[in-house]
Amino acid sequence: MRALLTKVEQASGMDRAGDRLQRVVLSTLRPRRLRDLLHGVTLGHPLHPAMVQVPVGAWISAAVLDLMPGQRRPATVLVGLGTASAVPAAVTGLNDWAALSRDQRRVGLVHAAANTVGLGLYAGSLAARLSGRHGVGRTLGFLGLSAVSLGAYIGGHLAYKQGAQVNQSVSELHRISDGWHSLADMASLPQRALITREVDDVSVILYRHGDEVTVMLERCPHQSGPLGEGEVQEIDGHACVVCPWHGSAFRLNGGEVVQGPSGNDQQILPTRIQNGVLQTRLP
Ligand code: FES
């Protein structure tokens, strides 16, 4: 299975269909605020993994009830709940998918295909149960659970092996040693400008506003874009750094994500000033 998924990652033949679907998703979910909401920007955490808990939980519970006598009605309710809640979960997934890199989108297509088959089987299962054909409904339910389990396995590969929608910058913290690190003389730091420095080979950005200085990891949590090459923009009344690659924006006075496709906040490092020298350390 792992070898097969590695082949899918490299299957450039899927790109035509993938690019077309990406255009459809981006033009359908056009308002940026809607896309941000679906990415989980308002939560500061990707929304899709949270949304899938409802259908998966409902469908697994229904499968358990299907193995017990006299549980037709609650099993039908749970299949209905899972089927209805899978639709918004799929929309959040499609929105995330459209912002992935090519190799991730290829695997994401197979993940979506398996889940679409599963959703179709569960819709058939629900229809069968509602028309009194509970045996057919049970069979379709178990087939649906098999399909969405395959989809979950592929989703795990996408997240944990390929790093889709996981925070790409936080691992940088593991390369910073303990203790305070000197970064710059305060007297040399310009106001309201992005400056790039290194802490133990880890790139950070500095932004001075009055006597306050923000030190933030430079690598964008979305796909490692160079925030030091981004612009500072005022968004919702806060100075934010905007990633030059796909436009994610992070508040400079806290690191909160205010604009996707990143669903994760950016890491800020603590600071102090010693004898006029700006220092930083691990949080
Ligand atoms: S790398 Fe995609 S928004 Fe920064």
Side-chain angles (χ1 to χ4, degrees):
M1 192 66 180
R2 289 201 296 256
L4 185 62
L5 285 175
T6 301
K7 279 197 179 126
V8 173
E9 286 175 25
Q10 298 157 357
S12 56
M14 299 171 72
D15 291 344
R16 234 172 110 190
D19 290 352
R20 202 170 299 151
L21 179 61
Q22 185 190 34
R23 281 195 293 276
V24 170
V25 172
L26 292 176
S27 61
T28 306
L29 304 173
R30 192 182 286 275
R32 172 150 227 157
R33 288 204 179 260
L34 173 62
R35 289 211 306 273
D36 286 352
L37 184 74
L38 296 172
H39 282 309
V41 168
T42 40
L43 291 176
H45 184 284
L47 185 58
H48 180 62
M51 296 285 287
V52 300
Q53 303 304 314
V54 183
V56 169
W59 285 335
I60 290 176
S61 304
V64 173
L65 292 179
D66 277 342
L67 295 173
M68 299 164 68
Q71 300 297 329
R72 286 178 173 178
R73 212 180 152 111
T76 302
V77 170
L78 285 171
V79 167
L81 173 66
T83 305
S85 59
V87 176
V91 174
T92 58
L94 270 175
N95 186 52
D96 283 351
W97 172 85
L100 297 179
S101 61
R102 268 228 156 96
D103 58 319
Q104 293 169 338
R105 287 205 305 272
R106 292 169 191 151
V107 175
L109 270 184
V110 183
H111 166 70
N115 286 333
T116 303
V117 169
L119 180 57
L121 287 164
Y122 269 112
S125 170
L126 181 63
R129 289 167 199 258
L130 290 175
S131 61
R133 292 172 297 143
H134 287 275
V136 175
R138 261 204 313 268
T139 303
L140 289 175
F142 285 124
L143 289 173
L145 189 60
S146 306
V148 295
S149 298
L150 177 65
Y153 178 92
I154 299 167
H157 179 93
L158 191 55
Y160 299 117
K161 195 265 183 180
Q162 292 184 280
Q165 284 302 88
V166 303
N167 189 325
Q168 299 286 340
S169 65
V170 76
S171 59
E172 300 269 272
L173 294 177
H174 305 148
R175 299 199 290 124
I176 298 179
S177 55
D178 288 336
W180 287 98
H181 301 262
S182 295
L183 281 174
D185 283 329
M186 280 298 283
S188 69
L189 272 186
Q191 293 282 349
R192 300 182 184 224
L194 289 179
I195 307 289
T196 307
R197 287 281 188 280
E198 293 202 337
V199 182
D200 286 347
D201 296 334
V202 171
S203 223
V204 294
I205 53 173
L206 280 49
Y207 181 77
R208 179 175 184 178
H209 183 192
D211 286 335
E212 300 287 316
V213 184
T214 294
V215 178
M216 174 186 269
L217 292 178
E218 195 212 359
R219 197 170 151 178
C220 177
H222 178 230
Q223 282 176 11
S224 307
L227 293 181
E229 295 172 23
E231 280 183 8
V232 176
Q233 286 180 19
E234 183 110 345
I235 300 175
D236 297 335
H238 298 279
C240 298
V241 56
V242 181
C243 179
W245 282 9
H246 312 105
S248 291
F250 308 92
R251 274 171 57 170
L252 281 159
N253 65 351
E256 293 90 348
V257 60
V258 295
Q259 196 167 276
S262 175
N264 291 296
D265 297 337
Q266 178 60 313
Q267 183 68 53
I268 296 282
L269 302 184
T271 58
R272 74 175 181 185
I273 295 164
Q274 287 287 90
N275 301 321
V277 175
L278 174 71
Q279 297 183 329
T280 192
R281 64 168 169 79
L282 286 170

